[in-house]
Amino acid sequence: MSSHIQRRLMTGVAAATVAAIALAGCSSGGGGGGGGGDGEYSAGQWKVTITSVAADKSVLRPMQEWYMDEVEKRTNGAIEFHRTTANEICAQADQYACVEDGSAQLLVTVPNYQPSIFVTNSMPEITFDTDNSAAMTAAIAELTETNEDAKAFLDAKNLYSVSTWSVGNILVGSNTPLNGPDDLKGLSMRTAGTIAAPNFAAAGVVPTQVTADEAYNSFSTGLVQAAAGAMDFVVAWKLGEVLKHWVDPGMGVYSEFAMYWAKDYYDAFPDDIRATLEEIADELNSGTAIELWQNGYDSTAGTHFVGTNEQCEMISAIPNVETMEAWDDTAVADFKALGADVDGQKYTNDELWVKNATDAGLTNAQGVLDDYRELVAKYEAEHTDPALSVDPVTTCIEQFNQ
């Protein structure tokens, strides 16, 4: 753990201990509104609604459930969550609307669904980069706390960043084997990602922008021939039932989930409550998010949320899935060399991210990216345990072919 997060965690633990002692005397009555910071809070004093894109069976769901359980437990119920189902109160492609109109105070979304709003947390979308998800999570947590340009961007959107976790290495599913970038030419494909989709376009793919929940039907209608997405797609979105062959083309991570508070709501919490929230976020960002992602989570309410280890077993049990492989180094290098194509204009991945971020209004986007890369390098040196640093797709491919 870095000295930076360690200092915050030690401070948060001390403050949270004081808060816990005070909260032990909470009354059982309801209530709302602010608090005076003296620890005398009512159960359910802050009733918080979450809006999220994470489906029940998604391996990206355990993190948000753990976070809410821990917040309720460590505030002794002073913060109480109204847990909506995925996309229940705001559309998948416009989750930010729930923060804007005040119908939700906690948000879990995919930044590339609304890239102009969530660009500060979108660096994992830079494909052919690191796939150490633990390092990414820790790096973005520190970046959004310390980089003044990133903080100013988030402040202007009334967002307080809690955590960001990758969706893992990209997989491409089809009904004919894809052995290298030449096999992508002319293929209509469900793609996502502000960088990944242009990478596929550079290889001759015809990108089809459909959301995850629309992907299954797009195959029954013949709209698309292939799908690119996370390992989640094979199980949670049932694409393993309609696509036989799955391959890791070596792009690495292509997307992420991010959690935010409405900043004005978060800032109004008393100091001891915010210290408790910081403590929980630090734990999430120091490896817990990746452990939950892989191992799943049994919630306080008794609901089991699957992780990647269990999901990999599910993939092996899908009769329709015939192959799960990875391209060799030569094919990956050929794919990477193609760069990114946007409307016929070629970019490197870094150039495209900087362009997108600048267009979204992020000041000094190159400087933000440079800071992120330095932080990733720092945390890669810390998160070397294969349980945290090896992508679940890599592990699952190995297990599938045993």
Side-chain angles (χ1 to χ4, degrees), residues 14-95:
T17 300
V18 173
I21 293 170
L23 286 164
C26 284
S27 69
S28 60
D38 57 5
E40 296 179 1
Y41 312 117
S42 301
Q45 182 159 331
W46 292 278
K47 297 184 183 296
V48 175
T49 296
I50 182 173
T51 182
S52 173
V53 300
D56 287 352
K57 294 182 180 180
S58 169
V59 294
L60 287 314
R61 182 70 173 267
M63 298 78 145
Q64 77 176 44
E65 295 300 323
W66 177 90
Y67 179 81
M68 289 188 293
D69 279 353
E70 290 300 306
V71 168
E72 289 181 338
K73 180 173 68 177
R74 299 191 208 184
T75 64
N76 202 33
I79 295 177
E80 178 184 294
F81 288 101
H82 171 49
R83 307 183 186 214
T84 61
T85 58
N87 312 312
E88 177 183 343
I89 57 175
C90 270
Q92 185 179 64
D94 191 17
Q95 291 287 304

Side-chain angles (χ1 to χ4, degrees), residues 15 40 44 46-47 89 101 135-136 168 201 220 259 271 301 306 356 364:
E40 296 179 1
W46 292 278
K47 297 184 183 296
I89 57 175
D101 66 17
M136 292 178 203
S220 62
M259 178 187 290
D271 290 347
V306 301
N356 291 343
N364 189 27

